Amino acid sequence: MEAASPISIPKTPLQDLPEASPKPYKKSFVTTLMEAATLRSTSFKEDTYFVSQLKSSEKKALQELKDKLLASDASDASMWGIPLLGGDEKADVVLLKFLRARDFRVTDSLNMLLKCLEWRTEFGADSVVEEELGFKELEGVVAYMHGYDREGHPVCFNAYGVFKDKDMYERIFGDEEKLQKFLRWRVQVLERGINLLHFKPGGVNSLIQVTDLKDMPKRELRVASNHILSLFQDNYPEMVARKIFINVPWYFSVLYSMFSPFLTQRTKSKFVIAKEGNVAETLYKFIRPEDVPTQYGGLSRPSDLQNGPPKPASEFTVKGGEKVNIQIEGIEAGATITWDIVVGGWDLEYSAEFVPSAEGSYTVAVEKSRKIAASEEAIHNSFTSREAGKMVLSVDNTASRRKKVAAYRYIVRKSTAIVPSTFNFAN
């Protein structure tokens, strides 16, 4: 057994950590997902949209598209509030998305653009964001924008496992009218995400999609998934920088291994799959822990979003056979320390204790050592001490050989009065 690895953190007064920031044939649901993962929206390296960096043939195609659009009936058209022939860089970003979606074939790009403009008018896409569609029970559960990745892309989480409940499925997809209403809501979620984009060369011009495949009813959702794929593929080109699939079942991995040799490196680099048990480890590579929802091994709770940007977390790794002690030092008498801590796929021992600085004082067991199940979410706790000292958070992974990702954050607030030692916590 290896000795505990200490992580000592000196406390600064009132420590507020700095803020971050033809009619389609019937396809299986898995096939649909595979297609979604290989759309041209995935790219080996995200394009910067600087016109100066385009090839001469691409610059020529951009100008030809503008000329053809000017000669069409849509010469005064706008998309996402951007006049397409406004002559500015934002318009170039939009037009280049359509060109890239059709490999800079100008006629094909123009046809796609004109069909998209027609669809947006008929669908009312410009006003759908403000509509009340009555899907409160799905918000924050099925499809929702939540935080940003490490490069600043807005992240859209998708999880359709709730539809394994037959009553829920019938309530949402029971007939064609309900299905169309759901599709409208799903477009609404996407449009809200697009409103967060910069549409600026060198800026953030695409989203990250995270799709949770756990408990997803494949056969039942085939029709809905085909509709969603068709809508997004035809009307939202180059809008997704990376697609991450989590809680992936074994058969999906098998299918990917079969498809993989036929995919370009550009596509494979943006198609990420994570089996159940590797969710936090995978998401942390692209998204900071404070922006990862607690159900996926992160520190972000829905209520956190109401309080402005999330407080950044510190990341660390717990090796197999290792115990790590996080020591938060310099806590003054009467101060209250509040912390969050999580280990991806827990399945280890955790404890918290307050160690007074004065000799002869007793250590306070704030949280006695206990086994944390793999399914448990981040721990949130607070403690107020009547003495100066340090807080020690311990994670004991000595019973496992598996390395695990972890994160924590804390804040210490002084008090004007000395109060008895108190603590409370909630998982």
Side-chain angles (χ1 to χ4, degrees), residues 113-125:
L113 177 57
L114 294 177
K115 288 180 180 179
C116 178
L117 288 169
E118 182 180 0
W119 171 81
R120 292 186 66 83
T121 299
E122 294 176 352
F123 190 86

Side-chain angles (χ1 to χ4, degrees), residues 74-105:
S75 59
D76 60 348
S78 296
M79 193 174 290
W80 300 298
I82 303 169
L84 297 181
L85 294 176
D88 62 8
E89 58 187 14
K90 288 190 173 184
D92 288 343
V93 171
V94 176
L95 295 177
L96 282 169
K97 287 181 178 292
F98 284 88
L99 283 166
R100 289 197 169 103
R102 292 295 180 264
D103 291 328
F104 283 86
R105 298 189 300 270

Side-chain angles (χ1 to χ4, degrees), residues 10-26:
K11 192 274 302 176
T12 55
L14 284 176
Q15 179 158 354
D16 275 307
L17 296 176
E19 295 181 347
S21 70
K23 185 175 182 180
Y25 64 92
K26 290 186 177 181

Side-chain angles (χ1 to χ4, degrees), residues 260-311:
S260 184
F262 303 99
L263 303 179
T264 64
Q265 181 60 37
R266 171 184 170 95
T267 295
K268 287 189 288 187
S269 68
K270 298 297 184 177
F271 178 34
V272 182
I273 60 175
K275 298 178 182 179
E276 190 170 4
N278 287 338
V279 173
E281 182 179 358
T282 299
L283 292 180
Y284 281 19
K285 293 177 181 178
F286 307 103
I287 308 170
R288 291 188 56 82
E290 61 269 21
D291 279 318
V292 175
T294 53
Q295 65 267 33
Y296 298 131
L299 297 173
S300 181
R301 296 178 171 84
S303 58
D304 295 343
L305 301 179
Q306 302 172 7
N307 301 317
K311 297 295 184 292

Side-chain angles (χ1 to χ4, degrees), residues 7 18 25 38 64 84 90 113 118 132 141-142 157 202 205 213 218 223 269 305-306 313 345 369 381 426:
I7 301 177
Y25 64 92
T38 57
E64 287 182 6
L84 297 181
K90 288 190 173 184
L113 177 57
E118 182 180 0
E132 177 52 64
V141 178
V142 172
F157 285 86
N205 300 303
L213 300 185
K218 301 180 294 297
V223 174
S269 68
L305 301 179
Q306 302 172 7
S369 181
N381 198 348

